[in-house]
């Protein structure tokens, strides 16, 4: 599963739920909400500019807060997707279901059976959108 465009996939409603669950003050949550909610974008092609369109999700790349928000969101997503320990593989007595790379661009799912791998993959895909 490739998370290269993952910044664009962050569901802001779910992000607010995650931030509140880890104890982020409501005033800080409102500041973050106001910073990211209601984003819009236009496309310029030669000398013509399209009408602005609302962007319904995502955190802006290039903002200093975005990587931190993404990592918090991503960790919550992985925690939800791997809550069922039976889906992973036992390695030295420990269940491993996700291997994450340091650059946060890829996730490898592990499972002991094809059925469990499908269940884990479905869970990750569902939680990736965090709808």
């Amino acid at each position: 599963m490739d998370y290269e465009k993952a910044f664009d996939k962050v569901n802001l409603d779910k992000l607010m739920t995650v931030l509140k669950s880890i104890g982020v003050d409501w005033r800080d949550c409102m500041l973050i909400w106001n910073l990211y909610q209601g984003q819009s974008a236009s496309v310029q092609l030669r000398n013509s500019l399209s009408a602005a369109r609302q962007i319904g999700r995502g955190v802006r790349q290039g903002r200093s807060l975005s990587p931190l928000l993404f990592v918090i969101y991503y960790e919550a997503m992985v925690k939800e997707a791997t809550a069922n320990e039976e889906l992973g593989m036992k390695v030295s007595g420990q269940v491993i279901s996700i291997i994450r790379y340091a650059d946060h661009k890829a996730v490898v799912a592990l499972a002991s059976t094809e059925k469990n791998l499908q269940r884990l993959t479905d869970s990750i895909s569902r939680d990736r959108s965090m709808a």
Side-chain angles (χ1 to χ4, degrees):
M1 282 170 244
D2 185 1
Y3 280 80
E4 190 170 330
K5 302 286 184 185
F7 272 56
D8 300 333
K9 304 289 185 201
V10 173
N11 179 299
L12 296 175
D13 292 323
K14 182 67 175 183
L15 175 62
M16 292 299 110
T17 301
V18 169
L19 292 174
K20 290 174 188 174
S21 75
I22 63 170
V24 174
D25 185 77
W26 69 269
R27 290 171 285 228
D28 294 330
C29 286
M30 289 307 301
L31 180 72
I32 292 166
W33 177 262
N34 289 330
L35 180 64
Y36 289 99
Q37 184 58 32
Q39 299 178 75
S40 63
S42 298
V43 176
Q44 183 173 353
L45 183 60
R46 295 190 182 140
N47 294 330
S48 180
L49 187 65
S50 72
R53 300 277 185 196
Q54 285 292 114
I55 301 171
R57 62 181 180 192
V59 291
R60 295 178 187 157
Q61 294 185 36
R63 294 216 178 217
S64 57
L65 186 58
S66 294
L68 175 62
L69 293 174
F70 174 73
V71 168
I72 291 169
Y73 181 83
Y74 176 83
E75 288 301 316
M77 177 200 62
V78 169
K79 187 176 179 180
E80 283 184 25
T82 59
N84 186 347
E85 287 190 15
E86 73 182 43
L87 296 181
M89 292 182 72
K90 255 192 181 176
V91 178
S92 298
Q94 207 170 15
V95 176
I96 309 268
S97 55
I98 297 286
I99 298 173
R100 294 171 279 176
Y101 294 96
D103 65 3
H104 293 292
K105 289 188 178 177
V107 172
V108 177
L110 301 174
S112 56
T113 67
E114 186 177 335
K115 183 179 178 181
N116 283 349
L117 180 59
Q118 186 63 54
R119 287 174 54 200
L120 181 60
T121 303
D122 291 345
S123 178
I124 292 169
S125 295
R126 180 181 58 252
D127 291 342
R128 182 175 170 201
S129 68
M130 300 294 266

Coordinates of all heavy atoms in Angstrom, one line a residue, residues 46-116:
R46 N -2.4 27.9 -18.9 CA -2.0 29.1 -19.7 C -2.5 30.3 -19.0 O -2.1 30.6 -17.8 CB -2.4 28.9 -21.1 CG -1.8 27.7 -21.8 CD -2.1 27.7 -23.3 NE -1.4 26.6 -23.8 CZ -2.0 25.8 -24.8 NH1 -3.2 26.2 -25.3 NH2 -1.4 24.8 -25.2
N47 N -3.3 31.1 -19.6 CA -3.8 32.3 -19.0 C -5.2 32.2 -18.4 O -5.8 33.2 -18.0 CB -3.8 33.5 -20.1 CG -2.4 33.8 -20.5 OD1 -1.5 33.7 -19.8 ND2 -2.3 34.2 -21.8
S48 N -5.7 31.0 -18.3 CA -7.1 30.8 -17.8 C -7.0 30.2 -16.4 O -6.3 29.2 -16.2 CB -7.8 29.9 -18.8 OG -9.1 29.7 -18.3
L49 N -7.8 30.7 -15.5 CA -7.9 30.2 -14.2 C -9.3 29.6 -13.9 O -10.3 30.2 -14.2 CB -7.6 31.3 -13.2 CG -7.5 30.9 -11.7 CD1 -6.3 30.0 -11.5 CD2 -7.4 32.2 -10.8
S50 N -9.3 28.4 -13.5 CA -10.6 27.7 -13.2 C -11.3 28.3 -12.0 O -10.6 29.0 -11.2 CB -10.4 26.2 -13.0 OG -9.8 26.0 -11.7
A51 N -12.5 28.0 -11.8 CA -13.3 28.4 -10.6 C -12.7 27.7 -9.4 O -12.2 26.5 -9.6 CB -14.7 28.1 -10.8
A52 N -12.7 28.3 -8.3 CA -12.2 27.7 -7.1 C -13.1 26.5 -6.7 O -14.3 26.6 -6.8 CB -12.1 28.7 -5.9
R53 N -12.5 25.4 -6.3 CA -13.2 24.2 -5.8 C -12.8 23.9 -4.3 O -11.7 24.1 -4.0 CB -12.8 23.0 -6.6 CG -13.1 23.1 -8.1 CD -14.6 22.8 -8.3 NE -14.8 22.8 -9.8 CZ -16.0 22.9 -10.3 NH1 -17.0 22.9 -9.5 NH2 -16.1 22.9 -11.6
Q54 N -13.8 23.5 -3.6 CA -13.6 23.2 -2.2 C -12.7 21.9 -2.1 O -13.0 21.0 -2.9 CB -14.9 22.9 -1.4 CG -15.6 24.2 -1.1 CD -14.9 25.0 0.0 OE1 -14.4 26.1 -0.4 NE2 -14.8 24.5 1.1
I55 N -11.8 21.8 -1.2 CA -11.0 20.7 -0.9 C -11.6 20.1 0.4 O -11.5 20.7 1.4 CB -9.5 21.0 -0.7 CG1 -9.0 21.6 -2.0 CG2 -8.7 19.7 -0.4 CD1 -7.6 22.2 -1.9
G56 N -12.1 18.9 0.3 CA -12.8 18.4 1.5 C -12.0 17.6 2.5 O -12.5 17.3 3.6
R57 N -10.7 17.4 2.2 CA -9.9 16.6 3.1 C -8.4 16.9 2.8 O -8.1 17.6 1.8 CB -10.1 15.1 2.9 CG -9.8 14.6 1.6 CD -10.1 13.2 1.5 NE -9.7 12.8 0.1 CZ -10.0 11.6 -0.4 NH1 -10.7 10.8 0.2 NH2 -9.7 11.4 -1.7
G58 N -7.6 16.5 3.7 CA -6.1 16.6 3.5 C -5.5 17.7 4.4 O -6.2 18.6 4.9
V59 N -4.2 17.6 4.6 CA -3.5 18.6 5.3 C -2.5 19.1 4.3 O -2.0 18.4 3.4 CB -2.8 18.1 6.6 CG1 -3.8 17.8 7.7 CG2 -1.9 16.9 6.3
R60 N -2.2 20.4 4.4 CA -1.4 21.0 3.4 C 0.1 20.7 3.5 O 0.7 20.8 4.6 CB -1.5 22.6 3.5 CG -2.9 23.0 3.2 CD -3.0 24.5 3.4 NE -4.3 25.0 3.2 CZ -4.8 26.1 3.7 NH1 -4.0 26.9 4.4 NH2 -6.1 26.4 3.6
Q61 N 0.7 20.2 2.4 CA 2.1 20.0 2.4 C 2.8 21.3 2.4 O 2.3 22.3 1.8 CB 2.5 19.2 1.2 CG 1.9 17.8 1.2 CD 2.4 16.9 0.1 OE1 3.5 17.0 -0.3 NE2 1.5 16.1 -0.4
G62 N 3.9 21.4 3.1 CA 4.6 22.7 3.2 C 4.3 23.5 4.5 O 5.1 24.4 4.8
R63 N 3.3 23.2 5.2 CA 3.0 23.8 6.5 C 3.8 23.0 7.5 O 3.8 21.8 7.5 CB 1.5 23.8 6.8 CG 0.7 24.6 5.8 CD -0.4 25.3 6.6 NE -1.1 26.1 5.7 CZ -1.6 27.3 6.0 NH1 -1.5 27.7 7.2 NH2 -2.3 28.0 5.1
S64 N 4.3 23.7 8.5 CA 5.1 23.1 9.5 C 4.4 22.2 10.4 O 4.9 21.2 10.9 CB 5.9 24.1 10.3 OG 5.0 25.0 10.9
L65 N 3.1 22.4 10.6 CA 2.2 21.6 11.4 C 1.8 20.3 10.7 O 1.5 19.3 11.4 CB 1.0 22.4 11.9 CG 0.1 21.8 12.9 CD1 0.8 21.4 14.2 CD2 -1.1 22.7 13.2
S66 N 1.7 20.3 9.4 CA 1.1 19.2 8.7 C 1.8 17.8 8.9 O 1.1 16.8 9.1 CB 1.1 19.5 7.2 OG 0.2 20.5 6.9
P67 N 3.2 17.7 8.9 CA 3.8 16.4 9.1 C 3.4 15.8 10.5 O 3.2 14.6 10.6 CB 5.3 16.7 9.0 CG 5.4 17.9 8.2 CD 4.2 18.7 8.6
L68 N 3.4 16.7 11.5 CA 3.0 16.2 12.9 C 1.6 15.7 12.9 O 1.3 14.6 13.4 CB 3.2 17.3 13.9 CG 2.7 16.9 15.3 CD1 3.5 15.8 15.9 CD2 2.9 18.2 16.2
L69 N 0.7 16.5 12.3 CA -0.7 16.1 12.2 C -0.9 14.8 11.5 O -1.6 13.9 11.8 CB -1.6 17.1 11.6 CG -1.8 18.4 12.4 CD1 -2.5 19.5 11.6 CD2 -2.4 18.2 13.7
F70 N -0.1 14.6 10.4 CA -0.2 13.4 9.6 C 0.3 12.2 10.4 O -0.3 11.1 10.3 CB 0.6 13.5 8.3 CG 0.6 12.2 7.5 CD1 -0.5 11.8 6.9 CD2 1.7 11.4 7.5 CE1 -0.5 10.5 6.2 CE2 1.7 10.2 6.9 CZ 0.6 9.8 6.2
V71 N 1.4 12.3 11.1 CA 1.9 11.2 11.9 C 0.9 10.8 12.9 O 0.7 9.6 13.2 CB 3.3 11.6 12.5 CG1 3.7 10.5 13.5 CG2 4.3 11.7 11.3
I72 N 0.3 11.8 13.6 CA -0.7 11.4 14.6 C -1.9 10.7 14.0 O -2.3 9.7 14.5 CB -1.2 12.7 15.4 CG1 0.0 13.3 16.2 CG2 -2.4 12.5 16.2 CD1 -0.3 14.7 16.7
Y73 N -2.3 11.2 12.9 CA -3.4 10.6 12.2 C -3.1 9.2 11.7 O -3.8 8.2 11.8 CB -3.8 11.5 11.0 CG -4.9 11.0 10.1 CD1 -6.2 11.3 10.5 CD2 -4.7 10.4 8.9 CE1 -7.3 10.9 9.6 CE2 -5.7 10.0 8.1 CZ -7.0 10.3 8.4 OH -8.1 9.9 7.6
Y74 N -1.9 9.0 11.1 CA -1.4 7.8 10.6 C -1.3 6.7 11.7 O -1.7 5.6 11.5 CB -0.1 8.1 9.9 CG 0.7 6.8 9.4 CD1 0.3 6.3 8.1 CD2 1.7 6.2 10.1 CE1 1.0 5.2 7.6 CE2 2.3 5.1 9.6 CZ 2.0 4.6 8.3 OH 2.7 3.6 7.8
E75 N -0.7 7.1 12.8 CA -0.6 6.2 13.9 C -2.0 5.7 14.4 O -2.2 4.5 14.7 CB 0.2 6.8 15.1 CG 1.7 6.9 14.8 CD 2.3 5.6 14.4 OE1 2.1 4.6 15.1 OE2 3.1 5.5 13.5
A76 N -3.0 6.6 14.4 CA -4.3 6.2 14.8 C -4.9 5.2 13.8 O -5.6 4.3 14.2 CB -5.2 7.5 15.0
M77 N -4.6 5.5 12.5 CA -5.1 4.6 11.5 C -4.5 3.2 11.6 O -5.3 2.2 11.6 CB -4.8 5.2 10.1 CG -5.2 4.3 9.0 SD -4.3 4.7 7.5 CE -2.6 4.3 7.9
V78 N -3.2 3.1 11.9 CA -2.6 1.8 12.0 C -3.1 1.1 13.2 O -3.3 -0.1 13.2 CB -1.0 2.0 12.0 CG1 -0.4 0.7 12.5 CG2 -0.5 2.5 10.7
K79 N -3.3 1.9 14.3 CA -3.8 1.3 15.6 C -5.2 0.7 15.4 O -5.4 -0.4 15.8 CB -3.8 2.3 16.7 CG -4.2 1.8 18.0 CD -4.1 2.9 19.1 CE -4.5 2.3 20.5 NZ -4.4 3.3 21.5
E80 N -6.0 1.4 14.7 CA -7.4 0.9 14.4 C -7.3 -0.3 13.5 O -8.0 -1.3 13.7 CB -8.2 1.9 13.7 CG -8.8 3.0 14.6 CD -9.7 4.0 13.9 OE1 -10.3 3.6 12.9 OE2 -9.8 5.1 14.5
A81 N -6.5 -0.3 12.4 CA -6.4 -1.4 11.5 C -5.8 -2.6 12.1 O -6.1 -3.7 11.6 CB -5.6 -0.9 10.3
T82 N -5.0 -2.5 13.1 CA -4.3 -3.7 13.6 C -4.8 -4.1 15.0 O -4.2 -4.8 15.7 CB -2.8 -3.4 13.7 OG1 -2.5 -2.3 14.6 CG2 -2.2 -3.2 12.4
A83 N -6.0 -3.6 15.4 CA -6.5 -3.9 16.7 C -6.8 -5.4 16.9 O -6.7 -5.9 18.0 CB -7.8 -3.1 16.9
N84 N -7.1 -6.1 15.8 CA -7.4 -7.5 15.9 C -6.0 -8.2 15.7 O -5.5 -8.4 14.6 CB -8.3 -7.9 14.8 CG -8.8 -9.3 14.8 OD1 -8.2 -10.1 15.6 ND2 -9.8 -9.6 14.1
E85 N -5.5 -8.7 16.8 CA -4.1 -9.3 16.8 C -4.1 -10.6 16.0 O -3.0 -11.0 15.6 CB -3.6 -9.5 18.2 CG -3.2 -8.3 18.9 CD -2.5 -8.5 20.2 OE1 -2.1 -9.7 20.5 OE2 -2.4 -7.6 21.0
E86 N -5.2 -11.3 15.8 CA -5.2 -12.5 15.1 C -4.8 -12.4 13.6 O -4.6 -13.4 12.9 CB -6.5 -13.3 15.2 CG -7.6 -12.7 14.4 CD -9.0 -13.4 14.6 OE1 -9.3 -13.7 15.8 OE2 -9.6 -13.6 13.6
L87 N -4.8 -11.2 13.1 CA -4.6 -11.0 11.7 C -3.1 -11.0 11.3 O -2.8 -11.1 10.1 CB -5.2 -9.6 11.2 CG -6.7 -9.5 11.4 CD1 -7.2 -8.2 10.9 CD2 -7.4 -10.6 10.6
G88 N -2.2 -10.8 12.2 CA -0.8 -10.8 11.9 C -0.1 -12.1 11.8 O -0.8 -13.2 11.8
M89 N 1.2 -12.1 11.8 CA 2.0 -13.3 11.8 C 2.8 -13.3 13.1 O 3.3 -12.3 13.6 CB 3.0 -13.3 10.6 CG 2.3 -13.5 9.3 SD 3.6 -13.5 8.0 CE 4.3 -15.1 8.2
K90 N 3.0 -14.5 13.7 CA 3.8 -14.7 14.9 C 5.2 -14.8 14.5 O 5.6 -15.6 13.7 CB 3.3 -15.9 15.7 CG 2.6 -15.5 16.9 CD 2.4 -16.6 17.8 CE 1.5 -16.0 19.0 NZ 1.2 -16.9 20.0
V91 N 6.0 -13.9 15.0 CA 7.5 -13.9 14.8 C 8.1 -13.9 16.2 O 7.9 -12.9 16.9 CB 7.9 -12.7 14.0 CG1 9.4 -12.7 13.8 CG2 7.2 -12.7 12.6
S92 N 8.8 -14.9 16.6 CA 9.5 -15.0 17.9 C 8.5 -14.8 19.0 O 8.8 -14.1 20.0 CB 10.6 -14.0 18.0 OG 11.6 -14.4 17.1
G93 N 7.2 -15.3 18.8 CA 6.2 -15.2 19.9 C 5.5 -13.9 19.9 O 4.6 -13.7 20.7
Q94 N 5.8 -12.9 19.0 CA 5.1 -11.7 18.9 C 4.3 -11.5 17.6 O 4.8 -11.9 16.6 CB 6.2 -10.5 19.0 CG 5.6 -9.3 19.6 CD 6.8 -8.3 19.9 OE1 7.9 -8.4 19.4 NE2 6.5 -7.3 20.6
V95 N 3.1 -11.0 17.7 CA 2.3 -10.9 16.5 C 2.7 -9.6 15.8 O 2.7 -8.5 16.3 CB 0.8 -10.8 16.8 CG1 0.0 -10.6 15.6 CG2 0.4 -12.1 17.5
I96 N 3.1 -9.7 14.5 CA 3.5 -8.6 13.6 C 2.4 -8.5 12.5 O 2.2 -9.5 11.8 CB 4.9 -8.8 13.0 CG1 5.9 -9.2 14.1 CG2 5.2 -7.6 12.2 CD1 6.6 -8.1 14.7
S97 N 1.8 -7.4 12.4 CA 0.8 -7.3 11.3 C 1.1 -6.1 10.3 O 0.6 -6.1 9.2 CB -0.6 -7.1 11.9 OG -0.6 -5.9 12.7
I98 N 2.0 -5.2 10.7 CA 2.3 -4.1 9.9 C 3.8 -3.8 10.0 O 4.4 -3.8 11.1 CB 1.6 -2.8 10.4 CG1 0.1 -2.9 10.3 CG2 2.0 -1.6 9.6 CD1 -0.5 -2.9 8.9
I99 N 4.4 -3.6 8.8 CA 5.8 -3.1 8.8 C 5.7 -1.8 8.1 O 5.2 -1.6 7.0 CB 6.7 -4.1 8.0 CG1 6.7 -5.5 8.6 CG2 8.1 -3.5 7.8 CD1 7.5 -6.5 7.8
R100 N 6.2 -0.7 8.8 CA 6.2 0.6 8.3 C 7.6 1.1 8.0 O 8.5 0.8 8.8 CB 5.5 1.6 9.3 CG 4.1 1.2 9.5 CD 3.5 2.0 10.6 NE 3.8 1.3 11.8 CZ 3.6 1.8 13.0 NH1 2.9 2.9 13.2 NH2 3.9 1.1 14.1
Y101 N 7.8 1.8 6.9 CA 9.1 2.3 6.6 C 9.2 3.7 7.2 O 8.3 4.4 7.4 CB 9.2 2.4 5.1 CG 9.3 1.0 4.4 CD1 8.1 0.4 3.9 CD2 10.4 0.3 4.4 CE1 8.1 -0.8 3.3 CE2 10.4 -1.0 3.9 CZ 9.3 -1.5 3.3 OH 9.3 -2.8 2.8
A102 N 10.5 4.1 7.4 CA 10.8 5.3 8.1 C 10.2 6.5 7.4 O 9.9 7.5 8.0 CB 12.3 5.5 8.4
D103 N 10.1 6.5 6.1 CA 9.7 7.6 5.3 C 8.2 7.8 5.3 O 7.7 8.7 4.7 CB 10.3 7.6 3.9 CG 9.7 6.5 3.1 OD1 8.9 5.7 3.6 OD2 10.2 6.4 1.9
H104 N 7.4 6.9 6.0 CA 6.0 6.9 6.0 C 5.3 6.9 4.7 O 4.2 7.5 4.5 CB 5.5 8.2 6.8 CG 5.8 8.1 8.2 ND1 5.3 7.3 9.1 CD2 6.7 8.9 9.0 CE1 5.8 7.5 10.3 NE2 6.7 8.4 10.2
K105 N 6.0 6.3 3.7 CA 5.4 6.2 2.4 C 4.9 4.9 2.0 O 4.3 4.7 1.0 CB 6.4 6.7 1.3 CG 6.7 8.2 1.4 CD 7.5 8.6 0.3 CE 7.7 10.1 0.4 NZ 8.5 10.6 -0.7
A106 N 5.1 3.9 2.8 CA 4.7 2.5 2.5 C 4.4 1.7 3.7 O 4.9 2.0 4.8 CB 5.7 1.8 1.6
V107 N 3.4 0.8 3.6 CA 3.0 -0.1 4.7 C 3.0 -1.5 4.1 O 2.5 -1.7 3.0 CB 1.6 0.3 5.2 CG1 1.2 -0.7 6.2 CG2 1.7 1.7 5.9
V108 N 3.5 -2.4 4.8 CA 3.5 -3.8 4.4 C 2.6 -4.5 5.4 O 2.9 -4.5 6.6 CB 4.9 -4.4 4.3 CG1 4.8 -5.9 3.9 CG2 5.8 -3.7 3.3
A109 N 1.6 -5.2 4.9 CA 0.7 -6.0 5.8 C 1.2 -7.5 5.8 O 1.5 -8.0 4.8 CB -0.7 -5.9 5.3
L110 N 1.2 -8.1 7.0 CA 1.6 -9.5 7.2 C 0.4 -10.2 7.8 O -0.2 -9.7 8.7 CB 2.8 -9.6 8.1 CG 4.1 -8.9 7.6 CD1 5.1 -9.0 8.7 CD2 4.6 -9.5 6.3
A111 N 0.2 -11.5 7.4 CA -0.8 -12.3 8.0 C -0.5 -13.8 7.8 O 0.3 -14.1 6.9 CB -2.2 -12.0 7.4
S112 N -1.0 -14.6 8.6 CA -0.7 -16.0 8.6 C -1.5 -16.8 7.5 O -1.1 -17.9 7.1 CB -0.9 -16.7 9.9 OG -2.2 -16.4 10.4
T113 N -2.6 -16.2 7.1 CA -3.5 -16.9 6.1 C -3.9 -15.9 5.1 O -3.9 -14.6 5.3 CB -4.7 -17.5 6.7 OG1 -5.6 -16.5 7.2 CG2 -4.4 -18.5 7.8
E114 N -4.3 -16.3 3.9 CA -4.8 -15.4 2.8 C -6.0 -14.7 3.3 O -6.2 -13.5 3.0 CB -5.1 -16.2 1.6 CG -5.4 -15.4 0.4 CD -5.7 -16.2 -0.9 OE1 -5.1 -17.3 -1.0 OE2 -6.4 -15.7 -1.7
K115 N -6.9 -15.4 4.0 CA -8.1 -14.8 4.5 C -7.8 -13.6 5.5 O -8.4 -12.5 5.4 CB -9.0 -15.8 5.2 CG -10.3 -15.3 5.7 CD -11.2 -16.4 6.3 CE -12.5 -15.8 6.9 NZ -13.2 -16.9 7.5
N116 N -6.9 -13.9 6.4 CA -6.5 -12.8 7.4 C -5.8 -11.7 6.7 O -6.0 -10.5 7.1 CB -5.6 -13.4 8.5 CG -6.4 -14.2 9.5 OD1 -7.7 -14.1 9.5 ND2 -5.7 -14.9 10.4

